[in-house]
Amino acid sequence: MNNHVFHQLFPKKPVLLGMVHLPGLPGSPNAARRFDEVIAAALNDARILQDCGFSGILVENLGDYPYYPDHVPAETVAALAIIADRIKSSYNVPVGVNVLRNDALSALAIAAAARLQFLRVNVLAGTAVTDQGLLTGKAHLLLRERKRLGATEVQIYADIRVKHAAPLVQRNLEQEVEEFFERAMCDALIVSGSGSGKEVDLEFLRQVKKAAGQRPVLIGSGLSAKNAAELLRIADGAIVGSAIKFEGQIHQRVDPQRARALVQASQSA
C-alpha cells in the first residue's frame, strides 16, 4: 500500500483520532458485570468524539490488563468485533482497532470483519522489552494475512519505540524509520512518550518526522489543549485518550468539554 492512502482517508490536517477505551471485556480479570453496559459506554464515547469534530475513532481493550503478549483469547476478539461493528455502523468517521498488547493478527481479523479502516500495532518490527516480556514484530505475517483476507484497504499504523517499553537495542533512527515504511510496510508511524498520557520528546518527534518526510507521523500520547498547537506543527496528527477524559484520567469516559477544547486548540496549528 502506498504512503498516500493515509492522506486520502484523512485529507484535513491535523488528524485527531479519539480513543474509545473499553473497560474489562468478558474473560478478563476486570470484566464488567454486563457486556451491554460496555457497548453503551463505547457508543456514547464514539458519539461525543464525532460530534466534537474528531477525524476518527480508535477502539482499544484498555481494561483487559494484565495483557496477553501476542494472542488474546477468542472471547476478546468476539467482544471487540461486536463493539467495533456497532461503532462503525452508527457513526460516519473512520474507525480503527488496537488489540493490546500486541495482537496485530486479531486486530486485522476484527478490522476485516467490521469493515474498519485502520489498526494500530504496538510492535510491528524489531523487538521491544516490555512488562509482558520480549515482544517481536510480525510484519511478515500481518501483511501476508492482510493480502489473504482481501483487506488491503485496512491501513497499518505502527509505533516506533513504543511506550511502556524499551527497544532491545538502539538503532540508527533514520534507517529505522525508513525500514518501518519500506520493509514493514506501515502506513503511518506513531511517536509516544514513555507511557500513556506522557508527553512526547519534542526533539525525538522532530527527528522522526524529518526522517519520514511527507509520510505521516502521529503523536501517540500526551497531546493536550496546552501543547497541541506546538506539537501539531510538527506531526500530521495525534491519537488522544487521557486528555479528553473526565479529570484527565485514562480509565474515565470521554468528557465532551475536554474533547471540544482539544479540537479547538488543535485547529490553531
Side-chain angles (χ1 to χ4, degrees):
M1 187 178 291
N2 67 63
N3 293 313
H4 299 294
V5 292
F6 176 88
H7 299 297
Q8 292 170 9
L9 183 61
F10 299 109
K12 294 182 180 180
K13 289 179 64 176
V15 176
L16 287 182
L17 304 179
M19 293 300 309
V20 171
H21 284 135
L22 303 176
L25 299 176
S28 87
N30 314 299
R33 287 185 300 173
R34 294 180 53 183
F35 185 54
D36 59 344
E37 293 177 351
V38 175
I39 296 173
L43 287 170
N44 188 59
D45 280 359
R47 178 188 58 78
I48 294 169
L49 293 170
Q50 177 175 273
D51 291 349
C52 288
F54 276 74
S55 313
I57 293 167
L58 181 58
V59 183
E60 182 181 85
N61 58 324
L62 178 73
D64 282 349
Y65 54 89
Y67 302 118
Y68 285 90
D70 292 306
H71 304 294
V72 301
E75 61 268 22
T76 303
V77 179
L80 278 166
I82 290 170
I83 294 169
D85 178 70
R86 295 283 185 90
I87 292 173
K88 181 67 168 57
S89 300
S90 301
Y91 303 107
N92 297 315
V93 295
V95 180
V97 64
N98 184 30
V99 182
L100 297 172
R101 174 67 154 114
N102 199 49
D103 195 345
L105 291 173
S106 289
L108 177 63
I110 294 163
R115 299 157 290 113
L116 308 185
Q117 288 97 334
F118 62 96
L119 58 89
R120 180 180 185 174
V121 186
N122 287 175
V123 183
L124 177 66
T127 298
V129 182
T130 76
D131 54 319
Q132 292 79 35
L134 292 177
L135 297 181
T136 297
K138 296 182 174 65
H140 60 296
L141 297 178
L142 181 63
L143 272 295
R144 284 169 172 80
E145 186 67 3
R146 186 174 70 169
K147 180 74 170 180
R148 187 186 71 84
L149 291 176
T152 54
E153 73 283 358
V154 178
Q155 298 182 28
I156 298 169
Y157 304 160
D159 286 87
I160 181 168
R161 302 184 186 178
V162 67
K163 60 188 176 181
H164 299 290
L168 188 61
V169 294
Q170 291 284 359
R171 301 178 58 222
N172 176 274
L173 181 60
E174 186 174 347
Q175 180 181 356
E176 193 175 356
V177 169
E178 189 67 21
E179 289 178 355
F180 263 102
F181 283 111
E182 299 303 325
R183 291 163 66 89
M185 297 177 65
C186 75
D187 298 295
L189 275 181
I190 302 168
V191 176
S192 296
S194 60
S196 298
K198 303 295 185 182
E199 190 170 335
V200 300
D201 180 275
L202 191 60
E203 183 55 32
F204 182 67
L205 176 64
R206 285 197 181 101
Q207 291 174 7
V208 173
K209 183 56 184 171
K210 180 180 179 181
Q214 295 301 310
R215 296 168 296 194
V217 173
L218 300 172
I219 294 164
S221 70
L223 191 82
S224 68
K226 293 181 180 180
N227 62 25
E230 179 183 21
L231 294 179
L232 291 175
R233 291 190 182 99
I234 303 169
D236 297 273
I239 300 169
V240 189
S242 301
I244 56 174
K245 302 298 189 67
F246 284 100
E247 302 177 354
Q249 299 299 310
I250 193 169
H251 290 285
Q252 297 283 354
R253 305 319 308 169
V254 174
D255 179 344
Q257 291 184 344
R258 283 177 172 266
R260 193 172 296 109
L262 182 63
V263 170
Q264 291 172 353
S266 299
Q267 289 172 347
S268 66

